[in-house]
Amino acid sequence: MNQALIQASKLTRDHPVARTRIFTPAPARRVLDNVDVRIDAGETVAIIGESGSGKSTLVRILLGLERASAGTVTFDGRDVVPGPARSLRWLRRRTGIVLQDPYSSLDPRMTVGGIIAEPLRALHVEGDHTRKVHDVLDRVGLSRERAGAYPHELSGGQRQRVAIARAIVHGPELLVGDEPMSALDVTIRASILELLAELHEDTGMGLILVSHDLGLVRHFADRVVVLKDGAVVEEGAVDLLFQAPAHPYTRQLIHAIPRLPAEGSSAGHDPTAAARRDTHSTPTST
Amino acid sequence: MTSQRALAVSYRPERSRARRTLVPAWLSRTWRRPHGAFGLVVVSIVLLAAAVSLFWTPFPLLQANTDQGWLPPSPQHLLGTDQIGRDTFSWLLAGSRTTVLVAAAATALAAVIGILLGTVSASLAPRLAEPIVVLVDIVVAFPVLLIAMLLATTFGGSILVVWVAVGIGAGVNLARIVRSEITRINASDYILASRAAGTGSFSRLLQHVLPNVAPLLAVQLSVTAGVAILAESGLTFLGYGASTTEASWGRVLADAQKYISVAPASVIWPGIVIGLTVLAINLLGDAIGEALDPRLQSGGKTDGD
């Protein structure tokens, strides 16, 4: 087995909760419980779970943005320890993250160009920054004139494209999307997903996509990790997962995918069969 | 950081085509708002009056003519004279000097204290920040008037007492506001995104945090300047501020107040000057705060993706 790009073992994270009694120790809520994750280079992994399942916390720990209470993360064999910016620059050069809400993830006081150029400045990337910014604007489908605009002048979809541009401008090997579509409306969601898929195909960069919507990632991810209450309940190739979900929670998530009434075909009540039927783009699933 | 500068220049063209002047953009935006224009005009007049009074006043301040007491306004004495025949206009002109100086110095002191304590207490680890927060809270508990009285009883009343008392009193209040604003900003997504982009905490402070505190700061500091003018007048009135031979607006008001039953009109002039100036400074602060916020500028959101 070759070396994983990210190897996380026994990740546990406790959030302190406001104490209600003075003499007992402050209680803690377990957000992550002994999570092991392995991500290979160039792989597309979806991390699925409902709100509060710890999926955002997990990816933030993987990127050294939050501290785990216990457990270790290694990136390409090197330990990821949260700390001063300088000590993590090597990791930042190789990763990028797109956050959920494009309305709050862009500094309202900075122009689009300044926002996108930020990783280039912070990571001391060499070369012509202006050109890199223009290239990445082309790449995400925004016109170059947008570099002078402020975030409030853009629509939600355009803002998310700016956030993606910021995450990829320095050419990372791994892009993390922390629910990058959930704050957008449906049509724009599809175009953003398409953009991410294109980026993955063109550059071969790995992709971790956090989502609560299994349906959204099924045509897209190689592998799915299902989180529930801070623990991994199921993990595996996306097709296998849809064919034979092992955990009842996964079955529940598959049931929750809204789908159009089956066109013409027999109305089987097996949800996985139904799921397979509308999978035009994954003929390998049967 | 040269690349950053080059970038900053290269991103401007779309905007600077519209207007290329020596006046900074935020100032011209302030001017275009009615309350901003009003504030700028009045504050400029006060500053000009303070500057002029350094060299010239219509009458020497201490020249008394007891036979010319309580003269009504005339071309010679624009605002009339006081009980011993001193020219009220000259006193108000010279008074602007003291008042402007105290207001500016107190605001500057408050800004230094507020920004420094606020930023430090918001940036340090909670364990280290706690003593600062507690100290600030303790000082906040003392009203400006009480601080001024404490200082005046120890060092004697003077303009310096006003400066220090207002500076400290307003400074600790500002520190609390700045701290809570920075805490809010630090929890925002764009700070997390900036962290993920690899920025250090100091560069985040300069590039994201402080620019986002600036509009609030403009408003708060203008309020402080207004309060400082009122405090100077009030403390001088109570005898903790300017001495009887020092021209200040509070001095003029305090002197006139004694004779309010004899010459009620004489109280009006310093009152109008003080009120108008404080109003203008507050309006100016509001306008600058608005001008500093790109979200409040015209240039609408585009539709579609």
Side-chain angles (χ1 to χ4, degrees):
Chain A
M1 213 182 211
N2 60 337
Q3 196 185 23
L5 184 63
I6 291 184
Q7 181 80 60
S9 56
K10 299 204 177 349
L11 283 183
T12 298
R13 168 69 197 244
D14 295 320
H15 269 321
V17 181
R19 57 174 69 202
T20 47
R21 289 175 199 176
I22 299 175
F23 297 108
T24 52
R29 198 163 54 84
R30 185 142 289 193
V31 181
L32 284 182
D33 193 6
N34 263 318
V35 172
D36 293 327
V37 176
R38 179 197 159 95
I39 313 269
D40 287 320
E43 190 185 24
T44 314
V45 179
I47 296 177
I48 304 289
E50 62 196 351
S51 309
S53 58
K55 49 195 195 306
S56 286
T57 308
L58 174 61
V59 292
R60 284 173 195 187
I61 291 174
L62 293 184
L63 291 187
L65 291 167
E66 273 185 42
R67 193 176 291 275
S69 310
T72 55
V73 179
T74 58
F75 187 98
D76 204 6
R78 202 166 159 183
D79 277 329
V80 175
V81 184
R86 204 176 307 143
S87 71
L88 278 169
R89 211 174 272 157
W90 62 274
L91 180 67
R92 303 278 172 252
R93 286 211 177 92
R94 304 177 67 177
T95 57
I97 186 168
V98 181
L99 299 175
Q100 174 176 5
D101 183 2
Y103 288 90
S104 64
S105 69
L106 306 179
D107 184 347
R109 306 290 314 277
M110 223 181 220
T111 60
V112 165
I115 291 168
I116 296 176
E118 186 159 50
L120 300 177
R121 293 196 302 263
L123 301 172
H124 306 305
V125 175
E126 292 182 1
D128 183 354
H129 288 184
T130 309
R131 230 201 55 223
K132 281 181 194 284
V133 169
H134 284 162
D135 288 349
V136 82
L137 280 171
D138 293 343
R139 184 68 269 246
V140 300
L142 289 172
S143 75
R144 293 180 175 194
E145 283 81 62
R146 291 289 183 209
Y150 284 96
H152 73 273
E153 296 169 290
L154 306 179
S155 69
Q158 287 170 332
R159 282 162 166 250
Q160 200 57 298
R161 284 168 192 271
V162 172
I164 293 172
R166 166 175 59 191
I168 62 170
V169 67
H170 53 297
E173 300 154 44
L174 176 72
L175 178 64
V176 176
D178 187 359
E179 303 213 38
M181 275 96 59
S182 62
L184 305 170
D185 59 61
V186 181
T187 48
I188 294 167
R189 217 177 269 192
S191 71
I192 293 290
L193 193 65
E194 212 168 284
L195 171 62
L196 292 174
E198 263 175 44
L199 288 171
H200 170 65
E201 263 160 46
D202 296 354
T203 62
M205 81 171 71
L207 204 56
I208 299 180
L209 202 60
V210 174
S211 180
H212 55 258
D213 187 352
L214 198 49
L216 205 63
V217 299
R218 65 172 306 190
H219 304 310
F220 176 64
D222 302 327
R223 216 153 53 78
V224 179
V225 176
V226 182
L227 271 182
K228 181 175 168 47
D229 299 330
V232 176
V233 295
E234 190 162 0
E235 185 179 355
V238 68
D239 301 334
L240 279 172
L241 198 89
F242 270 91
Q243 275 171 37
H247 196 275
Y249 180 65
T250 316
R251 249 170 271 155
Q252 201 181 319
L253 282 178
I254 293 174
H255 269 295
I257 303 169
R259 66 177 76 80
L260 297 169
E263 326 132 355
S265 55
S266 63
H269 60 270
D270 176 9
T272 55
R276 246 176 290 136
R277 265 199 307 282
D278 66 5
T279 314
H280 304 299
S281 57
T282 52
T284 50
S285 65
T286 40
Chain B
M1 283 287 155
T2 44
S3 56
Q4 187 185 335
R5 231 153 252 275
L7 267 179
V9 172
S10 67
Y11 287 132
R12 296 296 151 138
E14 298 88 6
R15 280 169 188 282
S16 59
R17 223 182 291 132
R19 192 170 257 264
R20 189 172 270 283
T21 53
L22 290 173
V23 184
W26 63 268
L27 195 60
S28 66
R29 284 202 294 266
T30 306
W31 177 251
R32 266 179 269 142
R33 290 165 196 279
H35 56 299
F38 172 79
L40 275 177
V41 167
V42 174
V43 169
S44 303
I45 290 174
V46 172
L47 288 176
L48 196 67
V52 166
S53 75
L54 288 174
F55 310 104
W56 175 81
T57 51
F59 289 86
L61 289 182
L62 300 178
Q63 177 191 305
N65 282 319
T66 35
D67 56 334
Q68 292 193 353
W70 302 129
L71 288 183
S74 65
Q76 205 186 3
H77 297 283
L78 282 177
L79 301 177
T81 58
D82 67 2
Q83 75 281 7
I84 50 170
R86 296 178 301 184
D87 183 44
T88 306
F89 181 69
S90 297
W91 271 78
L92 284 180
L93 204 59
S96 63
R97 189 166 65 203
T98 314
T99 308
V100 164
L101 186 72
V102 168
T107 307
L109 182 62
V112 169
I113 292 175
I115 295 172
L116 209 65
L117 290 184
T119 309
V120 168
S121 64
S123 309
L124 286 179
R127 205 164 6 95
L128 298 172
E130 198 69 15
I132 300 175
V133 175
V134 170
L135 182 77
V136 165
D137 282 348
I138 290 172
V139 181
V140 165
F142 289 89
V144 169
L145 184 59
L146 197 60
I147 300 175
M149 284 164 73
L150 284 172
L151 290 171
T153 28
T154 322
F155 303 108
S158 72
I159 298 285
L160 275 179
V161 166
V162 177
W163 172 55
V164 174
V166 175
I168 291 177
V172 286
N173 272 312
L174 192 64
R176 278 160 57 103
I177 295 167
V178 168
R179 175 180 145 83
S180 71
E181 184 73 0
I182 292 182
T183 308
R184 188 184 66 77
I185 290 169
N186 274 338
S188 69
D189 274 358
Y190 60 84
I191 293 296
L192 178 69
S194 177
R195 220 147 60 80
T199 53
S201 52
F202 190 66
S203 92
R204 275 199 302 279
L205 183 71
L206 292 185
Q207 298 204 346
H208 295 290
V209 178
L210 290 182
N212 277 289
V213 180
L216 177 90
L217 217 51
V219 174
Q220 286 300 323
L221 286 179
S222 76
V223 170
T224 302
V227 167
I229 289 177
L230 291 176
E232 189 279 323
S233 305
L235 292 172
T236 300
F237 185 87
L238 293 172
Y240 300 121
S243 67
T244 44
T245 52
E246 253 175 316
S248 88
W249 290 346
R251 185 80 261 147
V252 181
L253 190 64
D255 287 348
Q257 179 269 345
K258 281 182 255 172
Y259 300 98
I260 193 163
S261 55
V262 185
S266 58
V267 188
I268 290 174
W269 303 118
I272 287 177
V273 169
I274 291 168
L276 206 62
T277 308
V278 172
L279 177 70
I281 289 177
N282 286 332
L283 290 177
L284 181 61
D286 279 353
I288 292 176
E290 288 162 19
L292 283 175
D293 193 339
R295 280 164 296 191
L296 297 176
Q297 310 317 319
S298 53
K301 185 181 143 164
T302 50
D303 310 298
D305 177 30

